[in-house]
Amino acid sequence: MPTSLAPVPYDELLNDLAYSYEGVFSRETVAAAAAAVAEACTLLEPRAAVRTHLPVLVARPAREQLMSAAQAEGRIAKKVPELDVVRDDILD
């Protein structure tokens, strides 16, 4: 099975995240997501037989972290609305 030994473009990954969240978070806040990228690198790189899709897998935790922070702060609307249902018939 051939493997790709090309370096994973992590700087490009962070630039892409900064571009994706421009106007939502400052570049410094996005750079803080580098911790999630670094953690994912530490976990995934040693086990990767083929490094082709590694950038996508490494970026996922950072994107999820930024998205959840943006939604929690009300900066981005949630794609699926949360519904709170209260049934008074079961409270009796």
Side-chain angles (χ1 to χ4, degrees):
M1 176 184 311
T3 61
S4 171
L5 298 176
V8 180
Y10 297 113
D11 290 337
E12 290 179 31
L13 251 165
L14 292 174
N15 288 336
D16 183 48
L17 287 171
Y19 178 77
S20 296
Y21 288 95
E22 186 175 358
V24 177
F25 290 119
S26 68
R27 187 161 183 86
E28 292 78 24
T29 303
V30 173
V37 170
E39 185 177 335
C41 289
T42 303
L43 293 171
L44 296 173
E45 275 189 332
R47 295 184 266 173
V50 178
R51 299 169 50 103
T52 306
H53 302 290
L54 204 52
V56 174
L57 297 173
V58 166
R60 184 175 294 154
R63 286 191 187 282
E64 289 174 356
Q65 180 182 26
L66 288 167
M67 181 60 77
S68 94
Q71 289 175 341
E73 295 174 12
R75 295 174 184 235
I76 295 177
K78 295 183 179 184
K79 292 181 181 179
V80 178
E82 293 180 9
L83 299 175
D84 291 330
V85 178
V86 177
R87 291 183 48 189
D88 61 352
D89 61 324
I90 60 173
L91 297 176
D92 294 331

